[in-house]
Amino acid sequence: MNYNPYVNVQNVMEEARKTGGIDRRFFDVIKHPQRETKVYLPVEMDDGEVRVFEGWRVQHSNIRGPFKGGIRFHQDCDLDEIRALSVWMSLKCAVVDIPFGGAKGGVRVNPSELSRRELERLTRRYTFAIEPLIGPDKDIPAPDVNTDAQTMAWVLDTYSMLNGRPCPGVVTGKPVELRGSRGRASATGKGVVISTKLILARSGLKLPDVSVTIQGFGNVGRYAAKAFHEQGAKVVAVSDISGVLYDADGLDIPSISEFAKTKAPLSTFNDGHAEHLSVGDIFAVPCDVFVPAALENQIDETTAAVLKCSYVIEAANGPTTEAGDRILAERGIQLVPDIFANSGGVIVSYFEWVQNIQELTWERDRVTDMLDDIMSRAFGEVLEEMARSSCSLRIAAYIVALKKLVYAEEIKGIFP
Ligand SMILES: NC(=O)c1ccc[n+]([C@@H]2O[C@H](COP(=O)([O-])OP(=O)(O)OC[C@H]3O[C@@H](n4cnc5c(N)ncnc54)[C@H](O)[C@@H]3O)[C@@H](O)[C@H]2O)c1
């Protein structure tokens, strides 16, 4: 059967509902997105041809605050993937208790086939198409797979042009020069490292005691590698879509990060130390901590059986299938779930939005300290739920989030 992330997230929500004893009545309201918009985007290519791309913006819930979620450019994007990602955003914001709902956007495109000017035209056309739906107090996009601060600058400029005034609060993850937050680019990776520290501390371990493998070396994986390295963990393998770099004694992460800034594939990196392995070999690398930071559906029944780690920290959204989850549990591998582990990005997006609407600029240390505080407090709440419900960390995190969402639905009531 083909993996469907939307079916996956709904199944896990249902299991959490039953385990947490959550009433069915209002739960059903949040099982589905509030609104799904499909757009067709004509773009003039550099050679004069016109191509029409498909895109979506799915708004899952705004019961706890404005819709919030990234924009993904990927050749395999489809509605169910964007739906699942929108649900995960609502759950994520609820579990760490920031006042946002959940949304996600996507365009089915292979961005590596487009020139920079073509990507800019596509981004601006997509922004135009979803402009009535977004806004600083309505729905606030951010970067995701294959989009970055530059993409957000184009979204911001297009939205501001259409509205006749600068509107920095319409997107987060924008460049600092355009009122982005200090510490936003590295926030998801830093949050992954905070998550790792929190789970290791339960066994009396610290980062210098562990070796780490990271699948995916983009916005999230690259900054996670940097933070792991700086805090004393030994990063033994990193990968991107082109291949794996491996060194049992620890990779030279500063050099690899510098190299990756050029967007060159890791398979072309050569420092005379790192060994090259093929993409699928990442799962078999012996390490203490495995960090999937690429896409969904990576740890399934086959790869979960191969992993040689004690911990999985889900930096990507939905990297583990339900079957993969069961095998990890049977093998005693501890997992920190995506809706908590990668929440650093949306937490600092929240800080960025707060700075924008208050016309303030915060120092990096303030951002980092507050990120740490929010994640540490939320982790404590998830651990309490895990003990109360005798369940996995994933189910506990879902219960914490669902209780907040369902209770908010209940006290609000149904309109009209
Ligand atoms: N950007 C954020 O702030 C953010 C926040 C929370 C969660 N996430 C999630 O983290 C994940 C990664 O997002 P990103 O923003 O870093 O994307 P990105 O496009 O910057 O990087 C993705 C990386 O994964 C690699 N990759 C893709 N398929 C692969 C494969 N099969 N094997 C190995 N590597 C592969 C790519 O080569 C690239 O290095 C996604 O699931 C995303 O939804 C991102």
Side-chain angles (χ1 to χ4, degrees):
M1 196 185 80
N2 280 346
Y3 167 78
N4 182 324
Y6 189 47
V7 173
N8 178 330
V9 67
Q10 292 211 326
N11 287 346
V12 181
M13 279 203 285
E14 189 60 48
E15 186 184 338
R17 185 194 71 75
K18 286 188 197 142
T19 310
I22 296 168
D23 186 30
R24 155 114 272 148
R25 197 156 160 251
F26 287 90
F27 170 79
D28 280 346
V29 182
I30 59 135
K31 255 185 107 171
H32 308 283
Q34 288 178 19
R35 186 190 283 133
E36 301 176 348
T37 304
K38 168 101 187 255
V39 293
Y40 292 90
L41 310 165
V43 177
E44 188 171 354
M45 309 308 279
D46 292 343
D47 64 3
E49 282 301 303
V50 173
R51 277 179 67 186
V52 180
F53 296 89
E54 284 174 278
W56 297 267
R57 184 77 186 166
V58 175
Q59 296 173 315
H60 172 254
S61 169
N62 65 354
I63 175 73
R64 301 184 68 259
F67 297 109
K68 181 87 188 87
I71 298 172
R72 174 172 291 197
F73 287 173
H74 197 273
Q75 59 276 17
D76 297 330
C77 258
D78 65 20
L79 178 57
D80 275 347
E81 178 183 52
I82 302 299
R83 280 173 168 154
L85 288 160
S86 75
V87 179
W88 281 318
M89 284 306 298
S90 297
L91 295 170
K92 194 178 305 182
C93 294
V95 79
V96 294
D97 209 9
I98 55 171
F100 283 140
K104 203 78 178 191
V107 177
R108 187 181 295 156
V109 57
N110 181 349
S112 67
E113 292 172 355
L114 268 58
S115 70
R116 182 184 157 91
R117 289 288 298 141
E118 288 168 342
L119 268 179
E120 179 177 349
R121 288 197 287 275
L122 174 64
T123 305
R124 288 183 183 279
R125 184 68 193 214
Y126 174 70
T127 309
F128 170 77
I130 64 165
E131 188 273 339
L133 303 172
I134 63 174
D137 52 6
K138 275 206 272 187
D139 183 351
I140 306 138
D144 192 70
V145 172
N146 291 326
T147 59
D148 58 14
Q150 175 61 74
T151 324
M152 295 307 112
W154 292 328
V155 175
L156 166 59
D157 185 57
T158 309
Y159 184 88
S160 299
M161 286 288 164
L162 291 168
N163 285 272
R165 64 197 150 86
C167 306
V170 69
V171 281
T172 57
K174 54 194 172 284
V176 172
E177 296 76 7
L178 291 173
R179 315 249 324 262
S181 178
R182 295 194 177 96
R184 171 59 185 90
S186 56
T188 313
K190 276 196 183 139
V192 168
V193 175
I194 293 170
S195 305
T196 310
K197 284 201 275 194
L198 289 166
I199 190 86
L200 289 177
R202 300 193 75 221
S203 311
L205 294 171
K206 291 197 157 87
L207 287 177
D209 302 323
V210 297
S211 59
V212 180
T213 289
I214 303 173
Q215 183 207 31
F217 209 64
N219 296 329
V220 180
R222 187 157 63 83
Y223 284 107
K226 187 166 176 278
F228 274 122
H229 177 79
E230 284 169 0
Q231 295 184 48
K234 186 164 71 173
V235 182
V236 292
V238 297
S239 72
D240 67 4
I241 190 73
S242 73
V244 179
L245 296 175
Y246 172 66
D247 187 340
D249 295 327
L251 291 163
D252 179 356
I253 292 301
S255 300
I256 300 171
S257 294
E258 211 40 50
F259 175 83
K261 275 190 198 159
T262 64
K263 304 218 165 160
L266 291 183
S267 59
T268 59
F269 176 83
N270 191 356
D271 66 353
H273 295 286
E275 194 182 325
H276 288 268
L277 310 175
S278 57
V279 165
D281 294 339
I282 192 88
F283 300 102
V285 170
C287 59
D288 299 303
V289 178
F290 181 81
V291 179
L295 291 169
E296 304 92 70
N297 190 19
Q298 296 302 304
I299 305 178
D300 58 14
E301 59 267 56
T302 311
T303 53
V306 171
L307 284 174
K308 294 194 176 67
C309 62
S310 305
Y311 299 90
V312 168
I313 314 293
E314 291 188 323
N317 285 306
T320 312
T321 66
E322 290 170 79
D325 235 352
R326 277 193 292 277
I327 289 170
L328 294 183
E330 279 162 24
R331 296 187 57 208
I333 296 176
Q334 295 189 58
L335 179 144
V336 182
D338 48 7
I339 61 167
F340 178 79
N342 69 34
S343 63
V346 76
I347 293 171
V348 177
S349 277
Y350 166 56
F351 298 160
E352 182 171 326
W353 179 76
V354 169
Q355 290 170 73
N356 293 158
I357 57 181
Q358 295 192 336
E359 310 281 354
L360 290 173
T361 305
W362 297 354
E363 292 307 320
R364 184 180 296 268
D365 284 352
R366 177 171 180 185
V367 168
T368 311
D369 291 350
M370 285 175 65
L371 170 64
D372 212 309
D373 287 352
I374 289 186
M375 290 193 72
S376 302
R377 183 189 36 72
F379 194 68
E381 219 178 308
V382 174
L383 287 181
E384 274 173 33
E385 188 58 61
M386 183 170 85
R388 191 162 39 239
S389 296
S390 309
C391 61
S392 67
L393 265 183
R394 187 190 306 285
I395 295 300
Y398 270 60
I399 295 172
V400 169
L402 284 173
K403 280 185 177 166
K404 289 178 191 161
L405 285 159
V406 171
Y407 185 55
E409 281 296 344
E410 194 176 336
I411 49 179
K412 168 183 73 75
I414 302 289
F415 174 84

